[in-house]
Amino acid sequence: MAVEAAEDEPAAAVWAGLPRASRRELALERRAASWQGGGPLGPAFAWLGEATRSAVVFDRPEVDWRAVGLGRPGLTAQLRSPRNRTRLGLGVEVPTAHAVVDRLLGFARPFAETRLQITPVEWGVWTYLIVRCLEEIDASHDLSIDRVSPDPFDADGLGAIVTIRWAVRVGDVAGAVRIWLPESLADAWTAAEPSGRRGSPAAEPTARMRAFSADW
């Protein structure tokens, strides 16, 4: 019987069909998730929430240890980090890019126009937004804009790339935002994980299990 065969299987086989995640992946996902809500970037982006009437909602980030979505149409900001001698990219899908600008300018866009090309006015607004965000979050002034354009992120010469993707809702418009960064920079970010999150050997087992449950 199938039931009897299942009972004879090793206990580990019960978990064989579940997705697997390495400690490295969880560390980066936790780091990215800490930027949301009451995280360290919350105060820095408070002005944007007020400007858009708190219409922008981010889901928990997804981490993929490869370059994903480079060819998706939309807005791409190519950034440089001279201190780390590397580059990274920020990608915003077309409907999301339109929706943020519409909220800022008080414009009601017909649904049929939500996937049209981004206009010169919108490029200007988004360039300002990215510059303002960099000023708010990059106290060392290490990050700078190379260009903001519809061109795919240029990952040549950067080695292995990690993609962090957020599903985003702006009002009733759903889309996604992605960050592409070299693995070396991703490892540096996880090494700088906020204090109090790593735990210690003396931490209570209950607290450690609660943290594990939250990540699961």
Side-chain angles (χ1 to χ4, degrees):
M1 296 178 59
V3 174
E4 293 175 349
E7 292 175 348
D8 293 336
E9 290 178 1
V14 176
W15 309 102
L18 294 176
R20 298 174 181 271
S22 66
R23 183 184 300 272
R24 189 186 188 199
E25 291 176 87
L26 288 175
L28 182 56
E29 184 173 319
R30 176 183 292 172
R31 178 66 167 164
S34 73
W35 298 342
Q36 300 172 232
L41 296 192
F45 286 108
W47 66 272
L48 183 56
E50 294 173 0
T52 59
R53 300 185 294 281
S54 300
V56 183
V57 179
F58 286 80
D59 283 348
R60 187 177 178 87
E62 303 170 2
V63 176
D64 201 327
W65 289 81
R66 57 196 179 99
V68 178
L70 290 177
R72 297 281 297 184
L75 173 147
T76 303
Q78 316 239 13
L79 309 176
R80 292 188 175 276
S81 175
R83 183 178 57 191
N84 295 292
R85 298 182 180 180
T86 192
R87 296 178 286 110
L88 60 152
L90 168 69
V92 183
E93 292 184 353
V94 169
T96 302
H98 286 321
V100 169
V101 174
D102 292 348
R103 284 276 174 169
L104 291 172
L105 302 183
F107 176 69
R109 184 184 303 266
F111 177 77
E113 299 180 6
T114 57
R115 295 189 177 276
L116 295 180
Q117 292 185 351
I118 299 171
T119 67
V121 170
E122 291 174 298
W123 287 115
V125 171
W126 267 101
T127 300
Y128 166 78
L129 289 176
I130 294 169
V131 169
R132 175 74 185 273
C133 289
L134 291 180
E135 290 177 348
E136 294 285 349
I137 67 176
D138 185 25
S140 65
H141 302 289
D142 178 58
L143 290 175
S144 61
I145 292 180
D146 183 14
R147 62 184 181 274
V148 179
S149 72
D151 299 332
F153 175 57
D154 180 11
D156 289 346
L158 297 179
I161 297 294
V162 182
T163 304
I164 307 177
R165 177 188 180 277
W166 287 266
V168 181
R169 182 169 291 277
V170 184
D172 58 355
V173 177
V177 172
R178 294 176 177 84
I179 291 179
W180 300 285
L181 62 156
E183 279 194 13
S184 58
L185 191 55
D187 290 337
W189 284 1
T190 55
E193 188 175 3
S195 60
R197 291 288 298 177
R198 292 184 179 274
S200 65
E204 297 180 4
T206 303
R208 292 202 300 270
M209 285 301 297
R210 189 177 299 115
F212 175 78
S213 302
D215 285 334
W216 182 270

